Amino acid sequence: MNYTEDDLRAAYEPLGDGLDRSLRKHHTLVATLREAAADGRWSRRRRLWIAPLAAAVVLIGGVVLAVTLNANDSPAPPRRASGALLVAYTGKQLPGFTVAKVPAGYVVEGGNAAVLDIARPGDHTPIDAFPSKIVVSLESSRMIGRSGDTPVKVDGKPGVLRHLPDATVLDYTDGVHRIVVQAWSDIGLTDSQLIEFAAGVTVNPTAVRPRG
Amino acid sequence: MRMACTDPGAVRTASEMDFEQYVTERLPTMVLTARAICGDIQLADDLVQDVLLKLHQRWPTIGEVESVDAYSRRMLVNAFVSWRRKWGRIVPHEPPVANEHRARSPDPAERATLLAAVRRLPSRQRAAVGLRYFVELNDTEIADALGCTVNAVRVLASRGLATLRVQMTAERQSEMGDVR
């Protein structure tokens, strides 16, 4: 039986299926490699510095050490460096919101017209369970922010950042809606990455405000 | 599936970007190249994971490799050939032909048979045919990936196509025999 080169090219077409699923799997591996590399660097630094540091502390003396340990005016620890990589999202979208970017290894896992959950594939926890997720929703009031929030701009529009013990909340407007994005800390997004993520969120006409 | 595999951005050295940046930009190409080389989606995923681990490990020392894409293609081919040596008797899983392909291919059954025949080719012939007709690399790029000369690529592809013709003819005769 004869076949043409076009037949041969067409025969390969099914190999283009399921590309998104493969890419998500590989991005998860890359994220794991990054975390492993970061842990390795910390271990090496610790080995290099802990012994000399301990010797210095002994030399300086217990009094100085006690003062250092009890000092209340020490600066806040620096914010954790980014542990995430934002990538273009080409997977399934849900009715309420459309996202342009997600952290590598994360997908639109669930939600409805009121709430959107970005989570690891296979994370089927309820949409009102927030750990290890980014949750997008609308708020009823147009007023944004409260005392202690940090003002930011999202795609040129006003918003505020709020740092909670386990999560960061970005409360902003797109000019029409008030949108709240909450990112759990273990995802590793920096503030600027969270703003970049939010700039890629589109509220669809079908979106509604959550009740309650 | 036709891929833009030789865009100017692809010819960058490792020192010009970091590992994650490279993977973010080039992962789709890498996955499709792996699928072309082995003809199987699941096996391609395994090959890509294997190559990503090695590439990550070697990234600091890759330095001024002329083209990271060409380098990763060679790694994929080597991973596939090694896999075949170890597990050569295993017949790759054949994915079902999706509805969308049925719609756009006038004779999907024959094309599914053709892809099955491709999967039975010897590893280097399969890689040469896949890189030429799925990834659409030129013979020089295929030669670089396979670590051989351009003439050798032509021989591999020619033998692969000849084997496919023989297999498809045999398949056809077998079907006609079944009908009788």
Side-chain angles (χ1 to χ4, degrees), chain A:
Chain A
M1 186 183 73
N2 287 328
Y3 61 88
T4 65
E5 291 189 348
D6 283 343
D7 289 333
L8 188 52
R9 289 190 179 95
Y12 274 106
E13 283 178 3
L15 292 184
D17 291 347
L19 186 59
D20 286 345
R21 194 172 47 196
S22 290
L23 294 180
R24 282 198 294 274
K25 186 194 296 183
H26 300 315
H27 278 303
T28 304
L29 171 68
V30 172
T32 307
L33 288 174
R34 181 197 326 112
E35 286 163 14
D39 288 347
R41 277 197 296 275
W42 167 235
S43 298
R44 281 195 297 278
R45 282 181 193 148
R46 198 165 43 189
R47 281 199 300 274
L48 285 172
W49 288 101
I50 275 189
L53 187 65
V57 167
V58 169
L59 284 173
I60 290 167
V63 175
V64 176
L65 180 64
V67 169
T68 306
L69 289 174
N70 290 321
N72 289 325
D73 57 349
S74 56
R79 284 189 60 75
R80 191 157 50 99
S82 170
L85 175 73
L86 281 180
V87 296
Y89 183 67
T90 55
K92 67 166 183 181
Q93 302 275 4
L94 292 178
F97 306 86
T98 304
V99 293
K101 291 184 175 182
V102 296
Y106 284 73
V107 295
V108 171
E109 187 56 43
N112 49 41
V115 178
L116 183 71
D117 271 7
I118 312 291
R120 293 272 188 196
D123 180 348
H124 300 306
T125 51
I127 55 173
D128 57 353
F130 300 142
S132 303
K133 290 181 185 173
I134 301 176
V135 181
V136 182
S137 62
L138 297 182
E139 280 290 335
S140 53
S141 160
R142 293 288 174 90
M143 196 172 73
I144 292 173
R146 61 175 81 152
S147 158
D149 289 348
T150 308
V152 294
K153 290 277 186 189
V154 179
D155 206 16
K157 305 283 193 320
V160 294
L161 272 172
R162 190 175 309 134
H163 295 294
L164 306 177
D166 291 315
T168 303
V169 176
L170 176 57
D171 189 349
Y172 70 104
T173 176
D174 62 356
V176 179
H177 312 92
R178 179 182 166 192
I179 305 162
V180 174
V181 178
Q182 176 175 293
W184 209 251
S185 302
D186 64 359
I187 298 171
L189 288 182
T190 61
D191 291 350
S192 59
Q193 283 178 319
L194 184 55
I195 292 167
E196 188 184 350
F197 167 84
V201 173
T202 304
V203 180
N204 298 325
T206 51
V208 296
R209 288 191 297 273
R211 291 181 181 177

Side-chain angles (χ1 to χ4, degrees), chain B residues 56-133:
Chain B
H56 180 261
Q57 204 172 19
R58 295 176 192 173
W59 196 262
T61 56
I62 285 177
E64 296 299 315
V65 167
E66 199 171 313
S67 161
V68 185
D69 269 5
Y71 185 76
S72 60
R73 274 200 296 270
R74 277 197 297 276
M75 292 175 81
L76 285 170
V77 170
N78 291 340
F80 174 54
V81 172
S82 300
W83 183 90
R84 283 277 295 179
R85 281 188 191 131
K86 195 170 180 183
W87 306 102
R89 290 181 185 174
I90 294 177
V91 178
H93 165 75
E94 293 180 20
V97 181
N99 286 335
E100 56 182 306
H101 299 299
R102 289 199 183 96
R104 64 175 178 255
S105 301
D107 196 348
E110 285 189 359
R111 284 169 186 174
T113 307
L114 188 52
L115 183 57
V118 166
R119 293 190 180 113
R120 289 193 293 271
L121 289 175
S123 53
R124 290 172 67 80
Q125 288 181 19
R126 193 193 313 181
V129 171
L131 290 173
R132 183 186 275 184
Y133 292 101

Side-chain angles (χ1 to χ4, degrees), chain B residues 14-43:
Chain B
S15 58
E16 289 176 282
M17 55 191 156
D18 66 22
F19 174 73
E20 287 201 14
Q21 187 187 356
Y22 173 76
V23 172
T24 302
E25 288 178 13
R26 306 303 297 162
L27 189 56
T29 300
M30 195 188 286
V31 172
L32 291 173
T33 302
R35 291 178 179 189
I37 289 168
C38 67
D40 179 78
I41 291 175
Q42 279 78 24
L43 175 56

